Every structure is written in C-alpha cells, then in structure tokens.
Amino acid sequence: MARQAQDREDLLRDAKALVPRLMLKLKILDEPCELFAGFRDNALSLYFDADPVYQFNRSRELRRAFVDNSIIKAVAGELHTWQPERMEQEVAMNSRAMSTAESKEFVANLLRRLADLRETLLQGHFEIVGQVPAEGEGLARLQSWLDSVRTIEIAQAANVA
C-alpha cells in the first residue's frame, strides 16, 4: 500500500505486476482524488489516494482493504480488521472480526464508492494522468469491471488467487 498520496506516480511506474494500470484525477463522492487502478490478471487493486485502498481477487471478491488507517483482510469469508497499537518499543497489530453490522456497513460504503466511480467514468469527468502500457486498455477494463459489480462477496483468504 502507498505510504503517502504522492506515491501514486511510484505505483504507476513500479507496480509492474499490475498490467494494465492507470492513474486518474477525478472526484469521488464530491472529493478530489487521484485514483490508481491496476489489474493482476482479473484481480483489481484500487487506490483512492493513499486511503482507502481496496483489493479484489480474480473472482472479484474483496480480499483486502486499507481504510481509516486500518488493515482489513478477508478470513474464511469474514472481514477482520487489524489496527496498529504503538507502544514504546514496538508496534503491535490488534485483530478482531468485524460484526455482521460492521461488515454490511463497510460493504455498503464500498458499493457506494464503486457506483460513484462508475458514474464519474461514464460521464467522462476525469483526467488520465498516466497508464501502462501507454496506449493500454486499463480504462476499458476498469469500466467493464465496475459494470459487472452488483454485490461484493468476501473472499475466503486475503491472497490474490
């Protein structure tokens, strides 16, 4: 995951496993945003600035996210949140399963964000900052992926497979 919002260009250049990949400037939920999107086969990673980040597996299931400084991972079809606890000498990661209500709210927020992204792209309200390959199909793949999403399923594991 990106450390800072300005790392977008580094992702565009360095995320070599994600092809195609692209970076856009747009507004999501009325907020200016740099969006990085990249595919590893059919597994999509979306970075809305540095936070939130959503990663899906090849079956389009949510496998991992980074939201409000928390890492969220799929574990056996449930969402688990991992939050850093800074101590004097180390950082511990505290983990807990999200409640059903928390998971539903999380997925609803994600679906709203994806729907707004889809609509923004359909209306052409964006600027392509860069893409790899330069004349690639990244935008068309992203639009097609967004068009296919009606619900979000939670993956069995956080890995890409």
Side-chain angles (χ1 to χ4, degrees):
M1 282 183 257
R3 293 173 301 283
Q4 300 173 6
Q6 61 264 34
D7 288 346
R8 281 314 127 248
E9 291 181 46
D10 291 340
L11 280 172
L12 193 60
R13 182 188 64 228
D14 297 335
K16 296 187 187 311
L18 302 177
V19 179
R21 59 189 180 273
L22 70 152
M23 187 168 58
L24 306 173
K25 282 188 180 178
L26 41 74
K27 281 188 177 182
I28 296 295
L29 303 173
D30 293 325
E31 293 290 325
C33 173
E34 283 190 347
L35 174 80
F36 173 85
F39 288 89
R40 182 184 305 169
D41 297 321
N42 288 323
L44 175 63
S45 293
L46 288 173
Y47 292 68
F48 294 85
D49 291 319
D51 185 349
V53 173
Y54 302 100
Q55 296 179 324
F56 301 87
N57 64 19
R58 292 181 184 110
S59 300
R60 298 184 175 158
E61 299 166 327
L62 181 65
R63 66 184 185 90
R64 184 166 52 179
F66 182 78
V67 178
D68 296 330
N69 295 316
S70 294
I71 298 168
I72 298 162
K73 291 183 180 181
V75 178
E78 295 181 339
L79 293 177
H80 287 239
T81 182
W82 299 69
Q83 294 182 320
E85 180 183 336
R86 301 194 191 287
M87 297 181 282
E88 200 169 299
Q89 298 294 322
E90 61 187 28
V91 176
M93 294 300 288
N94 295 322
S95 170
R96 68 170 183 82
M98 282 187 179
S99 69
T100 301
E102 287 173 312
S103 291
K104 283 182 180 181
E105 182 180 355
F106 182 87
V107 169
N109 288 336
L110 171 55
L111 283 169
R112 264 192 302 282
R113 185 173 290 275
L114 294 177
D116 195 52
L117 174 58
R118 181 180 177 273
E119 190 62 28
T120 298
L121 296 179
L122 282 173
Q123 292 176 5
H125 296 159
F126 63 90
E127 172 189 344
I128 296 177
V129 175
Q131 63 180 331
V132 174
E135 299 299 323
E137 61 183 42
L139 184 59
R141 291 258 320 258
L142 177 58
Q143 288 174 314
S144 176
W145 192 96
L146 291 167
D147 286 343
S148 72
V149 173
R150 298 295 174 256
T151 62
I152 298 291
E153 300 296 326
I154 308 303
Q156 290 296 307
N159 60 350
V160 76

